[in-house]
Amino acid sequence: MNIGCHALVWTGEFDASGIRSAAARTRAAGFDLIEYPLMDPFVFDAAVAASAVAEHGLAVTASLGLGEATDVTSEDPVVVAAGEALLLRAVDVVAEMGGVHFCGVLYSAMKKYMQPVTARGLENSRRAISRVADHAADRGIRVSLEVVNRYETNVLNTARQALAYLEEIDRPNLGIHLDTYHMNIEESGMFAPVLDAAPHLQYVHIGESHRGYLGTGSVDFDTFFAALGRVGYDGPIVFESFSSAVVAPDLSRMLGIWRNLWADGDELGAHANAFIRGKLLAIDSLRLH
Ligand code: MN
């Protein structure tokens, strides 16, 4: 099982030096995986990332949220095609980095919608995601759809909605990505959604209710980790935290990161790594009970 960190804990700039320093600091904090945000996969330097993660012995994954001009739930075929092209390129970036996981809000734009998704928009999304999954399967990559809160998509807000979405797309490498920050807003609890999603659960984000230090907010991590243990989850578990101390302009603004919740990413990361590994260690002992 790989315990990882989202690269925005370290830097908001993903030029070559940002890519390299994020990998070095991820390793220094004790993690064994780095997740790079691919807000623009057409400019992200996959070769630099591949060499940085190899140098530090890290596994690598990538995530993104689509924008308005690339929204695959749009009813405009030009916008849907642009979204699909971006997702296909992102899959290639993951392959070029040597990764096997691609995740995030891939099935719609990541934004506050002012109306529900339309039947046609949902169909466009499913068609694009099917082709992205097939493209990824050819490269040995799993695609995981992140379930996020109502202010960030109108398509998948709960694990059971994700199951319904997947029912109509039968792809063995396509699965569900749960995030404790979003679950804490939308789900009825932290145990049942993990059990429901388990057969398709491929990726996990660990975030606190205010997106700051783990254990200082209202997320019930004990129940969530107990659920992961109960279903025998062994995929990536990736820490995600955002503060106005580190800003990637598009992503930070979309996520509403207006406050400074921490100043030192290295201290924060080391704390999160110890927090996650401590929970997993304790839960593992339940096998003996
Ligand atoms: Mn997340």
Side-chain angles (χ1 to χ4, degrees):
M1 177 185 285
N2 282 320
I3 310 305
C5 190
H6 191 282
L8 206 67
V9 166
W10 317 114
T11 180
E13 278 197 44
F14 294 97
D15 53 5
S17 94
I19 289 170
R20 284 200 193 90
S21 81
R25 292 168 75 189
T26 295
R27 174 49 83 191
F31 295 104
D32 33 42
L33 178 153
I34 184 166
E35 177 184 319
Y36 285 111
L38 296 184
M39 300 323 287
D40 187 349
F42 294 101
V43 304
F44 186 87
D45 194 332
V48 167
S51 90
V53 298
E55 182 185 343
H56 297 286
L58 293 169
V60 63
T61 66
S63 61
L64 62 83
L66 293 174
E68 208 133 355
T70 53
D71 182 352
V72 291
T73 67
S74 170
E75 298 199 355
D76 178 346
V78 174
V79 173
V80 176
E84 188 176 323
L86 183 142
L87 294 170
L88 294 174
R89 174 59 201 149
V91 166
D92 292 343
V93 169
V94 176
E96 288 165 21
M97 291 194 295
V100 295
H101 283 278
F102 175 45
C103 60
V105 184
L106 314 176
Y107 51 81
S108 78
M110 188 167 69
K111 68 167 194 179
K112 166 77 168 75
Y113 284 85
M114 299 306 284
Q115 63 287 312
V117 67
T118 63
R120 197 165 138 218
L122 197 54
E123 186 52 34
N124 288 344
S125 169
R126 282 197 173 109
R127 282 203 189 131
I129 289 295
S130 303
R131 287 190 286 261
V132 169
D134 290 341
H135 186 76
D138 292 342
R139 287 152 185 78
I141 292 169
R142 289 175 178 272
V143 176
S144 306
L145 306 178
E146 183 170 16
V147 180
V148 298
N149 74 73
R150 68 189 68 192
Y151 308 109
E152 299 185 27
T153 186
N154 59 358
V155 179
L156 302 182
N157 300 140
T158 67
R160 285 167 70 175
Q161 283 182 301
L163 289 168
Y165 182 102
L166 290 181
E167 245 171 47
E168 312 211 0
I169 312 177
D170 187 19
R171 297 293 192 286
N173 66 323
L174 184 64
I176 299 175
H177 167 185
L178 291 181
D179 178 318
T180 57
Y181 164 81
H182 298 290
M183 290 175 71
N184 187 56
I185 296 171
E186 299 291 354
E187 300 282 6
S188 53
M190 300 302 277
F191 204 87
V194 175
L195 266 58
D196 289 343
H200 302 282
L201 186 60
Q202 299 189 145
Y203 205 87
V204 165
H205 271 167
I206 299 295
E208 189 47 280
S209 54
H210 44 48
R211 291 194 177 277
Y213 263 80
L214 298 181
T216 64
S218 60
V219 171
D220 179 2
F221 287 114
D222 288 342
T223 300
F224 181 74
F225 279 100
L228 290 185
R230 180 70 182 77
V231 303
Y233 176 78
D234 65 356
I237 298 181
V238 178
F239 173 55
E240 202 174 41
S241 179
F242 305 100
S243 167
S244 59
V246 175
V247 176
D250 288 354
L251 185 56
S252 300
R253 284 179 195 138
M254 218 308 300
L255 298 177
I257 310 305
W258 315 129
R259 289 178 294 135
N260 190 1
L261 296 177
W262 44 263
D264 186 328
D266 298 291
E267 281 178 0
L268 172 90
H271 172 271
N273 178 60
F275 183 97
I276 293 169
R277 290 183 195 277
K279 295 286 184 205
L280 290 170
L281 184 70
I283 289 306
D284 190 48
S285 73
L286 291 177
R287 287 183 300 111
L288 306 172
H289 288 216

